[in-house]
């Protein structure tokens, strides 16, 4: 059995880290928190966000795990495993919504949060809202990515025969659907609030790209073949994109007399909902560049901070769901206390620490400590993310 590629876990963990920061700072801005400042992440220096790596690497891990199930047990077992995972996520998503309302929204009753999260329907008609939420015809802010991931889990197994024999066919089918969305931007799923902010007909493409690459372990092949010239070219492309976006910000604010250049630096084809071409291109360049720079798994695993990101990446969906509740709760607490910049930054760090701690707790629970002798359980809890119990987190 090939070793787990811990670089994938590390990058998924980084995506959760960035999403938690972006959600917290965005909510603080909605609440007009005193001292709130923008904390710059990769989402602010390029066209893509942290949602793209989360979706891509979910597809990548799916390709590694589920192609093996398909080859050993057939399509039926592969679909059954995917359906089981979708059900687990479905239940986690439901409890996350209930926790969000019970602990972060209802106790404070801040109308800004209710409006931002689109929870007014829940508070006005809880039973009807819950019924529409479970049928995914009512979406709450931060939950749409979970809805579309559930859809992808149920649909992707049917592409595995193509992925095994003719991966280009799977990419052609997926890419054709994505291209149709680019040609007809209104082609989307509608919900109570309008259309899905993550158009599943577009975002499936990045998931399937990840699935195909994961099935062939192509990122590992890439890391072995790319040389410094390729890395330099990718870095130069990223620098040019970041410089272009920076100039757009300068022009938008009319700084240095560049207000008349705003239209010139406008960036078409980078819209979020339909995963437009420049957004997808930026992510693929960024992902390839960062992956190529990372050391091999054994070397990366030597660093304590890297292991924390890996653990978070292995429990990415659970950590993401928890971060929804903690971001809303802690941003609201900071707004209520009106404590200024220092409190704002300290609470941001506390939020990240909670998510990291939760990743360890979830991994420990998945190891079934109640069925393990005490000495073995202590050894397992101290093991690195490459231990066998971590493989089940995929």
């Amino acid at each position: 059995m090939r070793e787990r590629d811990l670089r994938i876990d590390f990058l998924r963990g980084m995506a959760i880290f960035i999403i938690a920061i972006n959600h917290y700072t965005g909510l603080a801005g909605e609440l007009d928190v005193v001292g709130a400042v923008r904390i710059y992440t990769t989402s602010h220096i390029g066209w893509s966000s942290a949602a793209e790596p989360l979706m891509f690497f979910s597809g990548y891990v799916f390709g590694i795990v589920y192609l093996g199930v398909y080859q050993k047990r057939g399509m039926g077992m592969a679909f059954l495993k995917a359906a089981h995972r979708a059900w687990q996520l479905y239940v986690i998503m439901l409890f996350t919504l209930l926790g969000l309302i019970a602990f972060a929204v209802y106790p404070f009753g801040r109308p800004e949060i209710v409006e931002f999260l689109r929870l007014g329907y829940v508070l006005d008609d809880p039973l009807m809202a819950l019924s529409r939420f479970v049928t995914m015809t009512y979406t709450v802010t931060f939950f749409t990515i979970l809805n579309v991931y559930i859809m992808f889990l149920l649909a992707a197994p049917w592409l595995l025969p193509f992925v095994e024999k003719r991966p280009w066919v799977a990419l052609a089918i997926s890419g054709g659907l994505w291209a149709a969305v680019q040609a007809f931007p209104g082609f989307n799923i509608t919900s109570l609030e309008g259309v899905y902010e993550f158009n599943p007909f577009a975002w499936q493409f990045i998931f399937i790209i990840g699935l195909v690459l994961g099935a062939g372990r192509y990122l590992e092949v890439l890391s072995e073949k790319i040389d410094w010239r390729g890395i330099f070219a990718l870095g130069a492309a990223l620098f040019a994109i970041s410089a272009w976006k920076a100039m757009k910000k300068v022009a938008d604010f009319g700084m240095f007399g560049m207000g008349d250049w705003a239209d010139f630096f406008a960036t078409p084809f980078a819209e979020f909902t339909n995963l437009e071409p420049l957004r997808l291109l930026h992510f693929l360049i960024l992902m390839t560049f960062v992956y190529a720079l990372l050391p091999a798994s054994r070397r990366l695993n030597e660093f304590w901070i890297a292991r924390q990101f890996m653990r978070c990446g292995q429990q990415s969906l659970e950590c993401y769901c928890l971060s929804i509740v903690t971001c809303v709760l802690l941003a609201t607490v900071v707004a209520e206390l009106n404590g200024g910049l220092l409190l704002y930054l300290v609470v941001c760090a506390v939020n990240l620490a909670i998510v990291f701690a939760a990743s360890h707790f979830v991994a420990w629970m998945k190891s079934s400590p109640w069925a393990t002798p005490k000495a073995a359980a202590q050894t397992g809890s101290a093991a690195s993310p490459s231990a066998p119990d971590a493989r089940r987190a995929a």
Side-chain angles (χ1 to χ4, degrees), residues 140-161:
V140 177
T141 303
F142 302 149
F143 284 79
T144 314
I145 190 172
L146 301 174
N147 293 336
V148 299
Y149 183 57
I150 289 172
M151 298 177 193
F152 297 163
L153 281 172
L154 297 176
W158 306 106
L159 284 177
L160 290 175

Side-chain angles (χ1 to χ4, degrees), residues 47-49 52 56 175 178 182 202-207 209-210 269-272 274-287:
W47 295 319
S48 61
S49 67
E52 285 85 358
F56 172 86
W178 173 80
Q182 308 311 308
W203 281 80
Q204 53 78 30
F205 189 36
I206 198 168
F207 183 88
I209 292 174
F269 311 117
E271 190 261 341
F272 178 89
N274 289 333
L275 190 64
E276 291 189 346
L278 286 182
R279 174 174 287 270
L280 178 61
L281 177 63
H282 175 258
F283 162 71
L284 292 175
I285 294 173
L286 178 62
M287 179 270 300

Side-chain angles (χ1 to χ4, degrees), residues 87-383:
W87 170 250
Q88 289 178 322
L89 177 56
Y90 192 81
V91 172
I92 293 171
M93 185 176 70
L94 180 58
F95 276 96
T96 301
L97 177 66
L98 297 177
L100 177 65
I101 296 169
F103 298 112
V105 176
Y106 187 76
F108 300 98
R110 307 266 316 204
E112 314 98 302
I113 288 294
V114 172
E115 181 180 359
F116 179 77
L117 296 177
R118 302 194 295 263
L119 286 172
Y121 187 35
V122 175
L123 301 180
D124 293 339
D125 191 349
L127 291 178
M128 182 57 70
L130 189 60
S131 67
R132 299 201 67 167
F133 181 80
V134 299
T135 57
M136 295 190 287
T137 55
Y138 164 57
T139 59
V140 177
T141 303
F142 302 149
F143 284 79
T144 314
I145 190 172
L146 301 174
N147 293 336
V148 299
Y149 183 57
I150 289 172
M151 298 177 193
F152 297 163
L153 281 172
L154 297 176
W158 306 106
L159 284 177
L160 290 175
F162 296 113
V163 172
E164 181 188 32
K165 300 293 185 181
R166 297 179 178 83
W168 63 268
V169 174
L171 287 173
I173 294 171
S174 178
L177 185 56
W178 173 80
V181 173
Q182 308 311 308
F184 305 97
F187 181 39
N188 196 348
I189 293 178
T190 58
S191 65
L192 186 66
E193 302 75 28
V195 296
Y196 267 42
E197 57 191 347
F198 286 82
N199 186 339
F201 301 119
W203 281 80
Q204 53 78 30
F205 189 36
I206 198 168
F207 183 88
I208 297 302
I209 292 174
L211 192 161
V212 170
L213 294 179
R217 301 272 190 150
Y218 288 114
L219 284 183
E220 296 176 48
V221 175
L222 173 68
S223 68
E224 295 171 358
K225 293 187 176 181
I226 194 169
D227 58 13
W228 67 267
R229 289 169 295 185
I231 294 175
F232 180 82
L234 291 169
L238 288 174
F239 178 81
I241 291 169
S242 298
W244 186 276
K245 189 163 184 178
M247 294 302 294
K248 180 180 184 302
K249 290 291 184 182
V250 169
D252 286 343
F253 287 106
M255 300 168 64
F256 308 113
M258 294 188 63
D260 295 336
W261 288 79
D263 291 339
F264 176 80
F265 286 106
T267 308
F269 311 117
E271 190 261 341
F272 178 89
T273 297
N274 289 333
L275 190 64
E276 291 189 346
L278 286 182
R279 174 174 287 270
L280 178 61
L281 177 63
H282 175 258
F283 162 71
L284 292 175
I285 294 173
L286 178 62
M287 179 270 300
T288 306
F289 177 73
V290 174
Y291 185 90
L293 287 180
L294 289 175
S297 293
R298 291 183 181 275
R299 176 62 176 159
L300 189 62
N301 197 40
E302 295 176 3
F303 298 95
W304 178 86
I305 187 62
R307 293 198 298 272
Q308 309 317 304
F309 284 111
M310 293 172 200
R311 185 71 75 186
C312 188
Q314 289 167 358
Q315 320 301 334
S316 58
L317 292 173
E318 292 85 352
C319 288
Y320 175 80
C321 289
L322 175 66
S323 74
I324 295 174
V325 179
T326 59
C327 285
V328 176
L329 174 60
L330 295 177
T332 306
V333 168
V334 173
E336 292 287 328
L337 294 176
N338 202 20
L341 175 61
L342 180 59
L343 180 64
Y344 168 77
L345 295 176
V346 168
V347 172
C348 181
V350 169
N351 182 41
L352 298 173
I354 291 172
V355 173
F356 282 141
S359 70
H360 284 268
F361 177 75
V362 172
W364 179 69
M365 289 294 291
K366 288 183 177 180
S367 70
S368 303
W370 50 85
T372 308
K374 185 176 181 180
Q378 290 175 343
T379 302
S381 65

